[in-house]
């Protein structure tokens, strides 16, 4: 509860790569993690989940390359969180056919530093990715936040109640990895 992980720059090749790490990619018994009111900033991956389960509630993530990364199977639920000044809200491992179940509810994301491909969330594995009641705002002029599904195992992105002060771009079927 209320933990902080502050990095010094997402581009450093050796340090500040991950703010919070859940799981190690093996599956085993590293399961069922909960973070409430935590903050992470300045990392390549502010929050990284590798083949485990995480519920992230509230808090703030910012200034990262990717705010939330999900690799391997398992689930990730993000609720009531604010993010700003990061390159991407979400990225997943893959492309792969294994199932991932990822949900973002009531998330506010400032798109002012989004990656040049304008992709807010890149979903590259099987399973269902849900974005409900999320708000994306302050995108740079002429740029439009997008959601991307990629890979042979990719199944579904569900978008419900997403709002943006600039138009949300078309969902694109694939991107190069």
């Amino acid at each position: 509860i209320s933990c902080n992980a502050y990095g010094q720059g997402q581009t450093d090749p050796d340090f500040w790569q991950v703010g919070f790490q859940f799981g190690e990619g093996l599956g085993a018994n590293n399961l069922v993690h909960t973070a409430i009111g935590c903050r992470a900033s300045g990392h390549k991956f502010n929050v990284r989940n590798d083949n485990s389960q995480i519920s992230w509630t509230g808090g703030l993530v910012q200034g990262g390359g990717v705010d939330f990364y999900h690799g391997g199977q398992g689930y990730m639920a993000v609720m009531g969180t604010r993010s700003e000044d990061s390159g991407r809200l979400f990225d997943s491992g893959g492309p792969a056919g294994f199932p991932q179940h990822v949900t973002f509810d009531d998330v506010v994301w400032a798109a002012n530093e989004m990656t040049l491909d304008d992709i807010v969330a890149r979903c590259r594995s099987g399973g269902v990715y849900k974005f409900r009641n999320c708000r994306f705002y302050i995108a740079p002029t002429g740029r439009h936040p997008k959601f991307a599904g990629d890979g042979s195992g990719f199944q579904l992105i569900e978008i419900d109640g997403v709002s943006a002060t600039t138009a949300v771009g078309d969902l694109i079927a694939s991107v190069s990895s």
Side-chain angles (χ1 to χ4, degrees), residues 1 5 65 169:
I1 297 176

Side-chain angles (χ1 to χ4, degrees), residues 162-175:
V162 170
S163 68
T165 54
T166 59
V168 175
D170 294 332
L171 174 66
I172 52 179
S174 64
V175 295

Side-chain angles (χ1 to χ4, degrees), residues 82 107-112 114 120 134-145 147 161-169:
R82 177 182 174 85
V107 172
V108 175
W109 191 72
N112 56 312
M114 71 179 164
V120 172
C134 295
R135 180 172 181 240
F136 306 107
Y137 71 108
I138 62 171
T141 303
R143 296 182 56 201
H144 305 286
F147 297 83
V162 170
S163 68
T165 54
T166 59
V168 175

Side-chain angles (χ1 to χ4, degrees), residues 50-125:
D50 282 321
N51 210 27
S52 190
Q53 294 83 39
I54 173 68
S55 173
W56 182 280
T57 303
L60 174 69
V61 288
Q62 64 185 8
V66 174
D67 283 327
F68 294 93
Y69 175 88
H70 185 66
Q73 298 182 37
Y75 72 82
M76 175 182 274
V78 179
M79 300 156 285
T81 300
R82 177 182 174 85
S83 170
E84 54 190 40
D85 301 328
S86 292
R88 184 166 285 145
L89 174 63
F90 174 75
D91 204 348
S92 74
F98 53 74
Q100 291 184 333
H101 299 282
V102 176
T103 303
F104 283 81
D105 285 312
D106 304 313
V107 172
V108 175
W109 191 72
N112 56 312
E113 297 292 331
M114 71 179 164
T115 57
L116 293 177
D117 60 11
D118 295 344
I119 295 173
V120 172
R122 184 168 55 179
C123 308
R124 301 186 288 173
S125 294

